C-alpha cells in the first residue's frame, strides 16, 4: 500500500519570505500523480499544484513550485513571497496512474507571520 | 457555480442513531467519493463510485453505506453511529476521462457523535 509522510506538523514563515514544505511517499509504481492541496480555515480543499511522475520537469504555479525527486520519492512544495492568505493546512497526496483514489499525508499547518 | 454540495454542514448525533450525509454535484462527474478527516491523520477514503450503480470500498468503509442511483448524487449513510465516527466528512468528484482527474471537494460536514 502506498503511504505519504509529511514530517512537519507545523511550519511558520514571515510574510514575503520563502518556505518549503516536505513530503515523502512510498510506492512500487512507476507512473503516478502527486498533488498539494491547501485547506484554509473555511475547510474547502483547494488544489495548489500537481505533478506527473513521468515528467522530470518540476511543476510551477505562480508563487508555488515543487521539487520532485523521483528516485528519493520526495515531493516538496516551495512557496515564494509568502502572503497572509497562504496560511492554511497543506496536504500532500499521491494517486496511482490508473486510479482516482488519493492517499493523503497527515498535513502541515502553515502560519504566515506579518 | 454550485460544484459539489454537501448537507448538512454540521450534525450532532447520539450513539446508535442513523443518518445520511448528502452529496450532490452538478458537473456531470462520473467519479464520486467520500473521505473522512481526523486530526493528525489527513483524509482517508471511505467509499467511492465510478458511475451510477457502481460503488466500492475505500480504506475505512466499516460502519458506512453508500449507493449511487444517479450521476449527481452520492449519499453516505451511517447505520448506527459510534463516537469513533466523529469526524469531518468530505465528498469529492472528478471526471474519469481526464488523466489528471482533479478532485473537486465539497465544503465538508462536521459530525459529532455523543
Amino acid at each position: 500500500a502506498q503511504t505519504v509522510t509529511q514530517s512537519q506538523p507545523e511550519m511558520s514563515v514571515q510574510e514575503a519570505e520563502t518556505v518549503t514544505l516536505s513530503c515523502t511517499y512510498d510506492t512500487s509504481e512507476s507512473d503516478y500523480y502527486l498533488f498539494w492541496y491547501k485547506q484554509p480555515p473555511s475547510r474547502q480543499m483547494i488544489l495548489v499544484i500537481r505533478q506527473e511522475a513521468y515528467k522530470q520537469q518540476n511543476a510551477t504555479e505562480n508563487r508555488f513550485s515543487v521539487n520532485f525527486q523521483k528516485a528519493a520519492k520526495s515531493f516538496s512544495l516551495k512557496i515564494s513571497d509568502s502572503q497572509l492568505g497562504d496560511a492554511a493546512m497543506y496536504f500532500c497526496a499521491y494517486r496511482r496512474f490508473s486510479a482516482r483514489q488519493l492517499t493523503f499525508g497527515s498535513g502541515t499547518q502553515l502560519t504566515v507571520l506579518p | 457555480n454550485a460544484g459539489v454540495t454537501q448537507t448538512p454542514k454540521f450534525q450532532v448525533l447520539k450513539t446508535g442513531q442513523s443518518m445520511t450525509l448528502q452529496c450532490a454535484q452538478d458537473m456531470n462527474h462520473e467519479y464520486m467519493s467520500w473521505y473522512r478527516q481526523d486530526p493528525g491523520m489527513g483524509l482517508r477514503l471511505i467509499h467511492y463510485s465510478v458511475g451510477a450503480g457502481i460503488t466500492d470500498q475505500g480504506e475505512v468503509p466499516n460502519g458506512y453505506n453508500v449507493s449511487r442511483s444517479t450521476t449527481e448524487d452520492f449519499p453516505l449513510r451511517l447505520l448506527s453511529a459510534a463516537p469513533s465516527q466523529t469526524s469531518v466528512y468530505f465528498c469529492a468528484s472528478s471526471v474519469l476521462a481526464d488523466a489528471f482527474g482533479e478532485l473537486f471537494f465539497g465544503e465538508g460536514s462536521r459530525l459529532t457523535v455523543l
Side-chain angles (χ1 to χ4, degrees):
Chain A
Q2 294 83 18
T3 58
V4 178
T5 302
Q6 293 179 249
S7 58
Q8 306 154 314
E10 298 176 346
M11 293 279 286
S12 63
V13 62
Q14 290 290 141
E15 197 175 2
E17 296 295 310
T18 296
V19 65
T20 298
L21 308 184
S22 301
C23 173
T24 58
Y25 59 93
D26 185 28
T27 183
S28 59
E29 307 279 336
S30 58
D31 290 331
Y32 49 87
Y33 297 106
L34 296 165
F35 304 85
W36 279 98
Y37 278 87
K38 170 185 177 180
Q39 186 181 43
S42 66
R43 291 202 313 235
Q44 184 81 49
M45 295 286 285
I46 303 165
L47 178 64
V48 174
I49 199 165
R50 59 194 186 188
Q51 174 81 41
E52 300 129 300
Y54 58 87
K55 285 190 177 180
Q56 293 185 337
Q57 186 174 5
N58 289 325
T60 61
E61 288 287 344
N62 300 315
R63 298 183 295 105
F64 298 87
S65 62
V66 298
N67 183 6
F68 173 49
Q69 301 289 329
K70 190 172 184 179
K73 296 180 182 176
S74 171
F75 184 61
S76 60
L77 174 69
K78 185 171 81 172
I79 306 174
S80 304
D81 186 25
S82 297
Q83 301 175 359
L84 295 177
D86 295 333
M89 180 74 86
Y90 285 82
F91 290 99
C92 178
Y94 165 97
R95 203 196 87 201
R96 279 174 32 230
F97 185 77
S98 58
R100 285 291 178 268
Q101 302 86 289
L102 291 178
T103 299
F104 285 87
S106 55
T108 296
Q109 182 68 50
L110 179 66
T111 300
V112 181
L113 305 169
Chain B
N1 294 334
V4 179
T5 303
Q6 291 182 231
T7 56
K9 288 186 168 47
F10 299 93
Q11 183 72 49
V12 178
L13 287 178
K14 294 182 179 179
T15 297
Q17 288 184 318
S18 63
M19 76 156 300
T20 299
L21 297 176
Q22 301 290 346
C23 175
Q25 52 89 12
D26 60 358
M27 299 172 282
N28 202 31
H29 285 173
E30 302 94 336
Y31 180 83
M32 296 187 74
S33 56
W34 278 101
Y35 288 83
R36 60 176 287 173
Q37 181 180 14
D38 301 295
M41 300 186 73
L43 282 75
R44 292 179 293 167
L45 182 65
I46 304 171
H47 285 285
Y48 65 95
S49 168
V50 297
I54 305 170
T55 63
D56 207 344
Q57 296 180 350
E59 180 185 355
V60 288
N62 292 340
Y64 306 96
N65 196 10
V66 293
S67 60
R68 185 94 179 270
S69 57
T70 67
T71 299
E72 295 78 20
D73 300 298
F74 190 46
L76 178 71
R77 297 181 184 86
L78 281 71
L79 307 174
S80 177
S84 61
Q85 294 179 303
T86 293
S87 188
V88 179
Y89 292 86
F90 288 93
C91 180
S93 70
S94 73
V95 174
L96 281 179
D98 175 18
F100 255 129
E102 178 182 348
L103 269 183
F104 292 84
F105 285 83
E107 294 182 347
S109 299
R110 181 177 292 277
L111 174 66
T112 301
V113 182
L114 303 175

